[in-house]
Amino acid sequence: MKITRVRIRNFRGIRDLEIELGKVTVLIGENNSGKTSVLDALKLCLRDLSPRRRFVFDGLDFHLPDGQAEPTSTEPIEIEVMCSDRPDEQWDDELVGRLNRARILQVDDDGRNHVRLQVTCEYDSDSREFSHQPSFVDLQGDPLSRAGARALTVLQEEIRYYYLTALRDAARHFDAKGPFWRPFLQDSQLSREKKAEIEAKLHEVNELVVSSHSSFEQVQDGLTRVQSVVPLATGEAVSIEAVPGRMFDMLAKAQVQLGTTTGAKIPLHRHGEGTQSLAVLMLFSAFLEAQAEGAPVLALEEPEAHLHPSAIRALWALVGGFTGQKLISTHSGELLAETDILDIRRLARTRNGIKAFRVPRNLLLPEETRKFNYHIRRARGELLFARCWLLVEGETESWVYPAAARALDLNLHREGVRVVEFKQSDVGMLTKTANALGIPWYCVGDDDTNRVKDEPKLRQNLGGAEEAERFVFPYPDIEQHLKANGYANVYQRYRTRQKTRAAADVAIEMEGRGKAGVTSEIQAALEKVVSLARAGAQ
């Protein structure tokens, strides 16, 4: 049983957001674009909420549309979680029976099974308190009045939601009280005879250690004098445990040690942050594998934290093997390099609030998919995090435009603009992908024979924008344009076939000249793409 869709209204920074979820869903987006809020909203509904009406929301969980808004006067929080079966993964009869008995199962005209949970939280002006109300609804959104009292518990038992945040402290997670480590420390599987045998041997070891350490006798004698002031137990009043004598004490002190490159073994919490983070992930995986009931939903926040880029790519194979449905947020282009584009959901701030964007199935033709995987996914996954793409033909533009931006004191990285070459890939594929992911783009091309091939593709993918907002062909040829505007002396130092080396020198000289060295055509293109990036960030 998997979550197929979640809709969130008026929760934190989210006004109204709907996301389709698959077996694997990777959330990307800028900071404060709602990734953590999505994971938290599901946690509140599927793990924290209980039939006993314990209040799990906070006043600041409400969406505050302006600086004067207060939680008591805003719109209610509404979170809807839908679970549906799939043609390739239908629910078995036992699951259908349990959901039917809870009176929450819905079947559509095509015979697909669904469950829809709605959670509403609002301020009650009469009681002057916040209250929340979980309910199940039918396919039209009307409440199921016959839903059983245990309906919420039944759903939470079928969907085990586990959430591992980006702050993965190995010392805390591998503590005896840690939720994922504690189950492995229980000694309930030991027979009474085996437990007694182990504890007897522990007692022998402890006696050997204490008797071999003569100074312990002095401590025992000194502490025995406490009885002269405070009565102690009869029999042996003071004993020293150099080794835990009881099984639960010994297990509570169990710790993981990892070997180093020299062969030495040191406690996990003394290793680097990356190793600790990875170890917690693997503990999480082992915990999930040990769970016998329910279909786990694994929510992972930034699994790449503190890891080397090569390790991040290797990590994805491990994460992909984790049990259950996976919902992952990331800032790593390296991780995206190993991710199917169909599994990515890009969260972005728009004029209408935070929205989710995705590349739909069959949008890209097979050849376009191959080019995307080669030129973007495998080589430049970070492009999917950009606010805006500046599409340029080739290597010369890739040298010149960033240098021109620096000369104009425009910080393309801060603005979220990425320069993307399209001559070796496909401008149609790039614009289609950008539109699907909600990334504004602007194309600058040469007004030459290539324009006949590229311009129709640009027009087909305007996405409702005006042509002037999407592309321009400001000069016949970038090299001739630069030669005619003060950089002929640079090109004279190189032969015709060395134009890319010349472009690198032009970039250096242009940046040194400052604003005066940037042509009006290049400046206009940069200002346009920056304005698109800023508009997209609002």
Side-chain angles (χ1 to χ4, degrees):
M1 188 172 181
K2 293 181 172 59
I3 306 168
T4 52
R5 179 171 61 84
V6 59
R7 185 168 187 180
I8 303 170
R9 297 187 184 96
N10 304 310
F11 181 68
R12 300 181 186 172
I14 298 174
R15 190 186 313 166
D16 191 346
L17 174 67
E18 184 171 339
I19 306 180
E20 300 287 336
L21 304 181
K23 294 179 181 179
V24 177
T25 303
V26 178
L27 303 177
I28 66 172
E30 297 186 66
N31 293 327
N32 298 318
S33 62
K35 300 185 298 298
T36 299
S37 294
V38 171
L39 303 182
D40 283 348
L42 288 170
K43 178 177 73 72
L44 290 169
C45 294
L46 297 174
R47 196 179 77 186
D48 296 349
L49 199 62
S50 75
R52 294 190 296 274
R53 302 281 192 251
R54 182 175 64 86
F55 191 69
V56 298
F57 291 90
D58 183 89
L60 293 180
D61 284 332
F62 288 81
H63 178 69
L64 304 177
D66 54 57
Q68 286 70 47
E70 296 182 0
T72 57
S73 60
T74 60
E75 294 293 318
I77 295 172
E78 297 178 5
I79 301 172
E80 179 179 305
V81 181
M82 175 176 273
C83 303
S84 307
D85 63 8
R86 305 169 185 272
D88 61 336
E89 194 172 338
Q90 296 184 340
W91 297 347
D92 60 41
D93 293 340
E94 291 186 5
L95 172 59
V96 169
R98 289 192 295 271
L99 299 176
N100 250 330
R101 288 190 292 274
R103 298 174 181 175
I104 58 177
L105 181 70
Q106 298 291 293
V107 183
D108 63 21
D109 294 337
D110 296 325
R112 291 187 64 193
N113 298 303
H114 307 272
V115 172
R116 292 178 66 181
L117 169 67
Q118 284 187 352
V119 178
T120 303
C121 178
E122 59 187 337
Y123 180 73
D124 187 339
S125 58
D126 293 332
S127 64
R128 296 184 180 182
E129 293 182 350
F130 292 104
S131 64
H132 60 241
Q133 178 63 45
S135 63
F136 289 87
V137 299
D138 61 21
L139 297 180
Q140 288 71 44
D142 298 321
L144 295 173
S145 57
R146 298 182 61 199
R150 291 191 68 256
L152 178 62
T153 301
V154 169
L155 179 64
Q156 291 175 337
E157 288 174 349
E158 297 299 337
I159 299 180
R160 300 284 184 174
Y161 188 84
Y162 300 106
Y163 182 14
L164 197 59
T165 67
L167 301 176
R168 294 186 286 277
D169 180 2
R172 179 172 62 87
H173 282 289
F174 281 88
D175 182 79
K177 297 180 180 179
F180 307 128
W181 181 233
R182 185 176 63 247
F184 295 101
L185 301 183
Q186 298 172 351
D187 61 350
S188 58
Q189 295 181 351
L190 289 175
S191 66
R192 182 175 299 179
E193 293 76 13
K194 179 62 68 174
K195 182 177 178 181
E197 179 185 351
I198 293 174
E199 290 183 346
K201 291 182 178 180
L202 290 174
H203 179 73
E204 291 178 11
V205 173
N206 186 74
E207 288 293 317
L208 179 61
V209 173
V210 172
S211 63
S212 302
H213 201 63
S214 58
S215 60
F216 279 159
E217 293 184 10
Q218 298 173 337
V219 174
Q220 283 181 299
D221 292 341
L223 291 176
T224 302
R225 298 178 204 154
V226 172
Q227 292 185 103
S228 63
V229 179
V230 178
L232 297 178
T234 58
E236 188 180 29
V238 179
S239 63
I240 295 177
E241 285 194 352
V243 177
R246 294 170 296 185
M247 278 297 300
F248 71 86
D249 284 334
M250 184 185 71
L251 291 173
K253 291 179 171 59
Q255 64 177 349
V256 176
Q257 295 191 342
L258 295 181
T260 66
T261 55
T262 64
K265 293 183 178 180
I266 60 176
L268 176 59
H269 67 274
R270 299 300 298 271
H271 281 263
E273 294 290 340
T275 302
Q276 291 188 45
S277 178
L278 187 58
V280 173
L281 283 176
M282 296 305 102
L283 171 65
F284 197 16
S285 174
F287 173 82
L288 293 177
E289 292 287 349
Q291 302 307 298
E293 298 179 356
V297 175
L298 168 58
L300 279 179
E301 188 178 37
E302 298 179 32
E304 73 277 4
H306 307 296
L307 288 179
H308 185 276
S310 296
I312 293 172
R313 295 203 179 204
L315 170 68
W316 184 246
L318 294 174
V319 173
F322 285 2
T323 299
Q325 184 177 14
K326 289 168 279 290
L327 183 56
I328 300 165
S329 70
T330 183
H331 289 137
S332 171
E334 299 294 337
L335 190 144
L336 291 189
E338 303 300 317
T339 305
D340 191 321
I341 185 63
L342 300 179
D343 294 333
I344 294 174
R345 306 291 183 269
R346 179 177 180 267
L347 303 186
R349 295 189 295 274
T350 72
R351 296 182 185 277
N352 297 316
I354 295 172
K355 299 297 178 185
F357 299 89
R358 61 179 296 189
V359 174
R361 193 175 298 276
N362 300 324
L363 174 72
L364 301 178
L365 300 174
E367 179 61 14
E368 291 176 325
T369 300
R370 184 192 67 79
K371 290 180 177 179
F372 172 83
N373 287 336
Y374 181 77
H375 293 283
I376 303 299
R377 174 185 163 190
R378 294 290 184 182
R380 299 193 66 189
E382 84 282 353
L383 294 178
L384 302 184
F385 296 100
R387 289 187 198 145
C388 187
W389 285 356
L390 173 58
L391 303 177
V392 298
E393 282 199 22
E395 190 172 343
T396 296
E397 291 89 344
S398 295
W399 279 108
V400 169
Y401 274 85
R406 291 189 291 270
L408 296 169
D409 200 24
L410 294 174
N411 190 323
L412 296 186
H413 292 296
R414 185 182 62 224
E415 301 292 351
V417 175
R418 296 293 180 268
V419 179
V420 186
E421 293 182 41
F422 64 83
K423 189 173 183 178
Q424 301 299 322
S425 57
D426 183 348
V427 74
M429 174 274 291
L430 291 170
T431 52
K432 280 200 289 188
T433 302
N435 287 343
L437 293 175
I439 303 174
W441 54 270
Y442 189 69
C443 180
V444 182
D446 291 345
D447 188 9
D448 57 10
T449 55
N450 287 327
R451 177 173 181 173
V452 178
K453 178 185 67 175
D454 296 331
E455 191 169 6
K457 296 180 179 180
L458 297 173
R459 285 205 174 99
Q460 290 172 5
N461 296 294
L462 291 174
E466 298 293 330
E467 290 184 4
E469 294 295 307
R470 285 290 179 257
F471 62 84
V472 65
F473 297 91
Y475 35 68
D477 175 88
I478 180 65
E479 282 82 16
Q480 295 301 322
H481 177 71
L482 292 169
K483 290 176 184 178
N485 286 275
Y487 295 96
N489 62 316
V490 178
Y491 281 95
Q492 287 174 357
R493 298 199 296 264
Y494 295 93
R495 290 176 293 184
T496 304
R497 294 183 180 180
Q498 296 178 316
K499 62 181 184 180
T500 54
R501 291 180 60 188
D505 282 357
V506 168
I508 294 172
E509 188 162 329
M510 183 179 290
E511 190 172 351
R513 293 184 188 181
K515 185 176 181 179
V518 181
T519 69
S520 59
E521 291 84 355
I522 293 176
Q523 180 174 345
L526 286 168
E527 290 175 348
K528 170 60 71 175
V529 77
V530 168
S531 69
L532 289 173
R534 290 176 178 175
Q538 292 177 351

